[in-house]
Amino acid sequence: MDHMSPRLRAFLSEPIGEKDVFWVDGVSRELAINLVTKGFNKAYILLGQFLLMHKNEAEFQKWIICCCGATECEAQESSKCLKERCACFL
């Protein structure tokens, strides 16, 4: 866990529950607004999208950039965060 950002560590340290999408590491305020506008207001909903894409990081990154306006860095960080979440809890 030493290589994890404090935000990622916090996201993985407790149940996902009803956390807002902003809790996902890599999701900036601007990206969170875009995601909420598209119906992805909760972290578990974004995780569901990741799972629908069969945990394929490249596909998820493409989707979040094209459909939600993420930067490449945001796409990489958020997909890594969701991948780590799956590794820890699925």
Side-chain angles (χ1 to χ4, degrees):
M1 278 188 124
D2 293 336
H3 66 284
M4 293 184 187
S5 71
R7 192 167 166 199
L8 177 56
R9 192 172 296 132
F11 183 71
L12 297 177
S13 70
E14 51 193 47
I16 199 166
E18 292 291 321
K19 286 187 166 104
D20 292 328
V21 73
F22 183 73
W23 274 82
V24 177
D25 191 34
V27 175
S28 66
R29 183 183 189 117
E30 183 180 334
L31 179 55
I33 291 167
N34 293 346
L35 286 163
V36 168
T37 301
K38 297 193 178 296
F40 295 89
N41 60 322
K42 299 292 182 182
Y44 72 85
I45 298 172
L46 191 61
L47 176 62
Q49 183 68 24
F50 183 72
L51 293 173
L52 284 172
M53 295 178 168
H54 305 279
K55 299 187 279 186
N56 182 318
E57 288 184 88
E59 186 178 341
F60 179 82
Q61 289 173 18
K62 226 181 289 182
W63 169 81
I64 203 167
I65 289 169
C66 294
C67 296
C68 303
T71 65
E72 195 164 318
C73 183
E74 288 172 326
Q76 290 171 354
E77 287 179 19
S78 61
S79 67
K80 177 187 173 194
C81 177
L82 296 173
K83 179 183 173 187
E84 291 286 337
R85 182 85 198 180
C86 291
C88 290
F89 296 100
L90 295 181

